[in-house]
Amino acid sequence: MTTALVPPGPRGHPVLGSIREIQRDNVSAFMDAFRHHGDIVNFRGPLRIQLLAHPDYVQHVLRDQHKHYPRPRKVQGCLSTIVGDGLVAAEGASWLRSRRLTQPAFHRDALRRFGETFTATTAELLDGWQRRGRDAGPVDVKSEMMHLSLANLARALFKTDLTEAITRIEPAVQRALAFTHRRMTSPVDPLRVPSQGRRRFLDALGTVNSVLHPMITERRRTGGSDDLVGMLLGATDPETGEAFTDAQIRDEVSGFFVAGHETVSTALTWTWYLLSLNPESARRLRAEVDEVLAGRVPTVEDLPKLTYTTMVVQEAMRLFPPIFVYMRCAAQDDTIGGYHVPAGRWVVVCPYVTHRHPEFWDNPEGFEPERFTPARSADRHRMAYLPFGAGPRKCIGDSFAMLQMPLVIAMIAQRFRLDLVEGQHVVPEPAISLRPRDPMWMWLRPVEETS
């Protein structure tokens, strides 16, 4: 009988193992470990985890054996603190019920109605940029994309303009997510320790809830089903006939709101950053937009023709996947790639690493949207690219994001070229999402002045 081996990995500190490196910058820690130790890496210390990089191993955990790899209770608990017990944080039967109830609202055909919402909100952003004038200075594109995605999500969820509330919600969500990330990687739960950070976190949750909960209550009172909340209010479980309670609606909406805008805004921000660094790709994007749209506002029907625009978004999410890590816990002893995975061990799938695996990606650090053409994608491992996760728990909002982002990119490219201000040191910040750590300052160049 062959005994499964313990995976290789960094030696780390004799007591703390690699926890300091993981807490400081888990993306760099995981990428370095993959380069030095291969497709499965064992990390020692109080945070005992195994990193899985190969798509075969990713498929084993996220799809083939997903029932034996639930999320760690600690991760589930941290998420439920900010989004309740809805789809984002739930496990088991509770998750399955939420998925059945919410799935119809997020079907791609049902979401097509929001195309005009996305383009109307983007037009308002562009008109504001136009009014700034030439001498207004650069803009923080990270903040601009955050405002845009929040506005789009609010209008899709509630058919409501949250412009006035966004200035309060945006920093509150960022504080909540940053604190939650610290909780996930800390041996001592900071929520149990009285501190200024804990107080700020609870205040942030209060701010978000003070905006969302009254809107849900009012939406229940007024009825209707022409927005996402209305569709959820009218949803029934196809197997039991049960509907969401008010508390469950609040949890689902909180999850969509917190997770949905963060991932979209982050992906849009990185897209503009990469286009600025790759002017030939930016020129090809503008050429496609000009040819397909001829100056008019895009519609959902244009998306099949905006192929390069969509590939640009896909490539940006390959290099900077908004959700860059998925954590699971082995419910029983297992063997992956000939290596032992003991029951109770956390396993980590890191799309940032898998998206750079040289066996599946030529020039893995290069920005090449053309790698997503049908011909070049045909034989690629299905689990080599997972910006929205994979398996049964694949993000329910993937169609929502991929409907919204190409429309936004096309509209902005019609009117402006975004150039990164020279001298910036752009650093990814691995929190719940992989966003730029600092403001992303960019010059807005009207297209008519750059052609």
Side-chain angles (χ1 to χ4, degrees):
M1 179 177 178
T2 303
T3 302
L5 304 172
V6 176
R11 293 177 60 87
H13 187 275
V15 177
L16 298 177
S18 300
I19 192 168
R20 289 176 174 171
E21 291 81 4
I22 292 173
Q23 286 180 324
R24 183 168 54 246
D25 185 348
N26 47 20
V27 160
S28 294
F30 294 155
M31 197 68 210
D32 290 344
F34 165 65
R35 290 190 179 114
H36 286 94
H37 302 288
D39 287 323
I40 181 168
V41 182
N42 187 61
F43 290 89
R44 301 170 178 83
L47 190 65
R48 295 180 64 81
I49 61 176
Q50 290 181 355
L51 171 70
L52 307 178
H54 196 283
D56 284 346
Y57 305 164
V58 172
Q59 178 171 308
H60 179 85
V61 168
L62 296 187
R63 194 187 74 179
D64 297 345
Q65 299 296 321
H66 68 93
K67 292 182 179 179
H68 301 303
Y69 284 93
R71 283 182 300 188
R73 290 184 179 179
K74 179 177 182 179
V75 172
Q76 183 184 0
C78 291
L79 291 174
S80 65
T81 303
I82 58 173
V83 298
D85 296 321
L87 190 62
V88 171
E91 286 288 342
S94 177
W95 170 82
L96 183 59
R97 178 178 179 275
S98 289
R99 186 80 181 201
R100 286 200 303 260
L101 279 162
T102 55
Q103 188 70 58
F106 283 87
H107 191 278
R108 186 171 181 86
D109 289 340
L111 294 173
R112 293 172 68 88
R113 73 180 71 182
F114 299 118
E116 290 185 9
T117 298
F118 301 149
T119 56
T121 307
T122 306
E124 293 170 7
L125 171 78
L126 294 171
D127 289 344
W129 285 2
Q130 199 76 46
R131 290 192 295 269
R132 285 171 50 86
R134 298 182 179 180
D135 302 322
V139 300
D140 176 10
V141 170
K142 174 184 171 182
S143 179
E144 296 288 305
M145 295 300 103
M146 183 72 73
H147 277 69
L148 178 63
S149 63
L150 274 171
N152 275 334
L153 188 55
R155 291 180 180 181
L157 282 169
F158 301 105
K159 215 172 185 180
T160 299
D161 189 345
L162 282 184
T163 301
E164 294 183 1
I166 283 176
T167 54
R168 291 188 293 125
I169 292 178
E170 180 184 340
V173 169
Q174 298 310 307
R175 286 196 298 271
L177 291 175
F179 186 85
T180 299
H181 178 256
R182 288 199 298 273
R183 290 185 68 196
M184 289 181 181
T185 57
S186 175
V188 178
D189 187 351
L191 189 61
R192 299 181 181 273
V193 180
S195 66
Q196 187 177 28
R198 179 179 183 272
R199 288 192 298 273
R200 288 178 175 174
F201 170 69
L202 295 176
D203 288 344
L205 287 185
T207 296
V208 175
N209 292 337
S210 70
V211 174
L212 295 184
H213 290 183
M215 295 180 68
I216 296 169
T217 300
E218 177 64 14
R219 195 67 186 78
R220 170 79 81 176
R221 186 186 67 80
T222 58
S225 61
D226 54 352
D227 54 28
L228 286 175
V229 172
M231 295 175 73
L232 294 178
L233 289 169
T236 56
D237 189 320
E239 293 190 7
T240 67
E242 295 178 350
F244 280 125
T245 66
D246 285 356
Q248 290 167 334
I249 289 286
R250 287 196 297 268
D251 289 348
E252 299 298 350
V253 172
S254 295
F256 299 150
F257 198 84
V258 170
H261 87 273
E262 171 79 7
T263 51
V264 167
S265 66
T266 298
L268 289 172
T269 302
W270 286 122
T271 299
W272 293 119
Y273 168 74
L274 291 164
L275 286 171
S276 177
L277 298 181
N278 295 272
E280 183 54 40
S281 295
R283 282 192 290 272
R284 182 170 173 183
L285 168 68
R286 287 194 297 274
E288 176 182 83
V289 168
D290 289 344
E291 179 181 353
V292 172
L293 302 178
R296 61 178 174 80
V297 174
T299 67
V300 171
E301 287 69 30
D302 292 312
L303 290 177
K305 298 178 182 178
L306 293 170
T307 54
Y308 190 76
T309 305
T310 299
M311 290 191 292
V312 163
V313 174
Q314 291 173 312
E315 177 70 341
M317 289 193 295
R318 183 188 70 84
L319 288 169
F320 295 103
I323 303 300
F324 67 97
V325 65
Y326 298 93
M327 288 180 277
R328 299 292 187 262
C329 182
Q332 59 190 37
D333 286 351
D334 197 6
T335 300
I336 299 179
Y339 291 102
H340 180 53
V341 180
R345 180 62 51 85
W346 285 23
V347 296
V348 172
V349 171
C350 182
Y352 184 94
V353 174
T354 302
H355 289 180
R356 287 166 167 76
H357 200 302
E359 289 184 29
F360 304 93
W361 302 98
D362 296 329
N363 185 24
E365 293 291 347
F367 181 71
E368 298 178 9
E370 297 83 357
R371 69 173 85 240
F372 285 96
T373 60
R376 293 182 61 178
S377 301
D379 297 328
R380 186 178 299 133
H381 197 300
R382 292 184 64 183
M383 297 290 167
Y385 183 67
L386 55 156
F388 298 104
R393 291 203 71 123
K394 183 180 180 182
C395 177
I396 198 171
D398 58 343
S399 293
F400 184 90
M402 291 309 297
L403 188 76
Q404 178 182 175
M405 291 190 289
L407 292 174
V408 170
I409 295 295
M411 284 189 70
I412 294 177
Q414 277 182 313
R415 293 174 60 177
F416 289 95
R417 190 184 78 195
L418 278 60
D419 294 331
L420 191 69
V421 172
E422 293 184 6
Q424 287 186 88
H425 182 48
V426 178
V427 180
E429 180 182 46
I432 297 296
S433 67
L434 187 64
R435 59 177 179 257
R437 184 190 63 192
D438 305 310
M440 181 81 73
W441 295 106
M442 305 189 82
W443 295 104
L444 303 178
R445 315 285 193 192
V447 167
E448 61 269 18
E449 296 180 12
T450 61
S451 34

